[in-house]
Amino acid sequence: MEDDYYSRLRSNMVKHQIAARGVKDPRVLEAMSRVPRHLFVPESLAERAYDDSPLPIGEGQTISQPYMVAWMTELLEVGEEDRVLEIGTGSGYQAAILCELAAEVISIEKFPDLARQAGERLRSLGYGNLAIHVGDGTLGWPQQAPYDGIIVTAGAPSVPQPLLEQLADGGRLVIPVGPSGMQMLNLIRRSGGEYQASEEGTCVFVPLVGKLGWKRGRPA
Ligand code: SAH
């Protein structure tokens, strides 16, 4: 009964917020229709989980707006064999979407509590192709590089060099760049030693804080 209720909200979300705004990749739309977003927000906000907005998840952080997740995931062009790195695990929702699409997902979160909660949630939902690490994602995760896709879900002052270096040949990096009020979503594609960048549109994320991120409100 409850499942029916949420799956109806979820299919409306996919239709009216995501497909209607131009996300076309059928694999992305399917993943967004499968992952139970209401289990990724605080219980008191479950009713609002499928609203067209971000929601607070603790530690002053947010779960991204559904459309933003879908748009960024489409830009990442995740293939079934791909290994993907996410910076900013947060609730683990974006990580779950990536787990539906990729062979392997590695996600880095700076807040230990958020990392632990997201890990428990994703395990209980049966996602086995994922590892979450606590650390500073502005340095990437060199231990398992290179990655076919890297997605940053916080706003960076500039593109951290280690992330470029950790991209596989043909790999894609999706990263919001700019100050806290609004950022430009950058898509960077590596081919050999060359990087081709495009600006895809504006977005609003919490700041990426770290060695190559924001420090006390100032760029690194
Ligand atoms: N992808 C998340 C939303 C992320 S909100 C979701 O689906 O719910 C941004 C997250 O980035 C926050 O949890 C924040 O703590 C984290 N973050 C910020 N700077 C970071 C850094 N340098 N390394 C790792 N995580 C970082």
Side-chain angles (χ1 to χ4, degrees):
M1 188 60 188
E2 179 159 292
D3 282 354
D4 270 9
Y5 173 71
Y6 284 116
S7 69
R8 197 161 56 242
L9 290 182
R10 196 151 57 240
S11 67
N12 281 335
M13 169 190 86
V14 171
K15 195 167 160 197
H16 300 297
Q17 300 172 30
I18 298 173
R21 291 199 181 106
V23 173
K24 291 194 184 69
D25 187 332
R27 294 184 70 234
V28 173
L29 297 174
E30 269 165 40
M32 298 290 303
S33 325
R34 269 197 303 268
V35 177
R37 182 171 163 97
H38 59 285
L39 301 180
F40 289 80
V41 301
E43 235 170 287
S44 60
L45 295 177
E47 285 286 321
R48 294 174 52 199
Y50 299 96
D51 287 3
D52 193 11
S53 66
L55 291 170
I57 54 168
E59 308 277 11
Q61 306 303 320
T62 57
I63 180 174
S64 309
Q65 177 195 24
Y67 169 68
M68 193 54 60
V69 173
W71 181 33
M72 291 173 79
T73 306
E74 183 173 62
L75 289 174
L76 204 58
E77 294 178 19
V78 184
E80 284 173 34
E81 308 282 307
D82 284 2
R83 197 137 54 103
V84 175
L85 176 69
E86 178 193 26
I87 312 302
T89 315
S91 68
Y93 178 69
Q94 172 75 70
I97 298 290
L98 295 171
C99 283
E100 295 274 348
L101 299 171
E104 196 183 345
V105 178
I106 292 114
S107 185
I108 316 294
E109 171 56 51
K110 80 184 172 84
F111 284 110
D113 271 359
L114 289 180
R116 185 181 44 76
Q117 286 171 34
E120 285 168 5
R121 192 175 272 144
L122 289 159
R123 252 193 313 283
S124 77
L125 288 170
Y127 292 106
N129 54 337
L130 164 98
I132 296 177
H133 302 284
V134 175
D136 179 1
T138 66
L139 306 175
W141 191 256
Q143 290 89 327
Q144 283 169 272
Y147 304 98
D148 304 294
I150 302 180
I151 179 169
V152 180
T153 63
S158 58
V159 180
Q161 184 66 24
L163 301 185
L164 295 173
E165 288 164 6
Q166 290 170 32
L167 273 183
D169 193 8
R172 291 80 54 200
L173 167 62
V174 175
I175 179 170
V177 179
S180 63
M182 191 182 280
Q183 302 96 37
M184 178 53 71
L185 192 59
N186 281 245
L187 169 64
I188 299 168
R189 196 181 292 271
R190 177 174 196 172
S191 48
E194 311 245 303
Y195 295 87
Q196 199 176 52
S198 56
E199 296 187 335
E200 299 293 331
T202 54
C203 52
V204 182
F205 278 88
V206 298
L208 182 74
V209 178
K211 191 147 186 259
L212 301 175
W214 297 97
K215 291 170 188 159
R216 296 190 206 93
R218 287 162 166 271

